[in-house]
Amino acid sequence: MFCKIEHIGIAVKNLEAANSMFQELANAHLLKVELVESEGVKTSFFKIGESKIEFLEATHPESSIAKFIEKNGEGMHHIAFEVDDIFSELERLKNIGFQLINEVPKNGADNKIIAFLHPKSTNRVLIELCQEKK
Ligand code: ZN
């Protein structure tokens, strides 16, 4: 089951600059900054009510975020939905024809396991499913 929009991910060139921009914009406190070595990204999170905003900066040129920015420039990168059971949701979505990028969930930032759907099957919007690690 999809529970809520957990966060919206925004690809940026400079995480620190994005953080201070957003602090001013939303008058919000930075929740955390986290390096996800396996993904080649440094992330930051702001909490806005029930949802979060995630900024992502590449840590090396081969990172998917570096490639995204090279192709599209900075901007909205993905929408993340919190699900109650990521394994059964991936199974369900696969069975009804959605293309999965990650067939098996992997470790993400913010104490989550995550999996991405291919934007080809979702109107060119990159969708992340995430679930809190138990
Ligand atoms: Zn995310």
Side-chain angles (χ1 to χ4, degrees):
M1 188 178 74
F2 277 44
C3 305
K4 66 172 187 186
I5 294 178
E6 213 283 331
H7 63 269
I8 292 175
I10 298 172
V12 300
K13 289 179 183 165
N14 184 324
L15 195 66
E16 255 176 62
N19 287 344
S20 34
M21 177 283 293
F22 199 75
Q23 267 161 358
E24 283 188 335
L25 177 77
N27 198 18
H29 287 290
L30 177 61
L31 204 61
K32 65 170 103 175
V33 173
E34 194 180 334
L35 185 68
V36 186
E37 205 96 58
S38 54
E39 297 295 303
V41 293
K42 204 161 119 189
T43 67
S44 64
F45 286 90
F46 290 88
K47 197 163 176 15
I48 303 291
E50 279 288 285
S51 304
K52 293 176 198 135
I53 297 290
E54 174 186 30
F55 289 103
L56 306 112
E57 181 195 271
T59 57
H60 59 76
E62 291 309 303
S63 149
S64 62
I65 293 299
K67 288 179 181 160
F68 176 88
I69 289 177
E70 203 177 277
K71 204 169 149 196
N72 308 287
E74 294 183 295
M76 225 195 84
H77 180 258
H78 64 272
I79 300 179
F81 292 97
E82 184 181 289
V83 295
D84 59 349
D85 182 344
I86 196 166
F87 294 95
S88 71
E89 282 303 314
L90 287 173
E91 185 71 30
R92 181 181 71 81
L93 293 169
K94 193 182 170 179
N95 286 339
I96 55 177
F98 284 94
Q99 237 179 296
L100 311 181
I101 293 177
N102 310 110
E103 303 243 340
V104 178
K106 57 184 181 175
N107 287 323
D110 199 25
N111 195 42
K112 301 273 195 301
I113 51 173
I114 66 169
F116 286 98
L117 306 189
H118 201 288
K120 259 187 212 161
S121 52
T122 53
N123 300 88
R124 295 188 60 237
V125 175
L126 181 60
I127 305 279
E128 174 187 333
L129 304 187
C130 65
Q131 184 179 357
E132 193 91 17
K133 267 192 235 172
K134 300 272 153 63

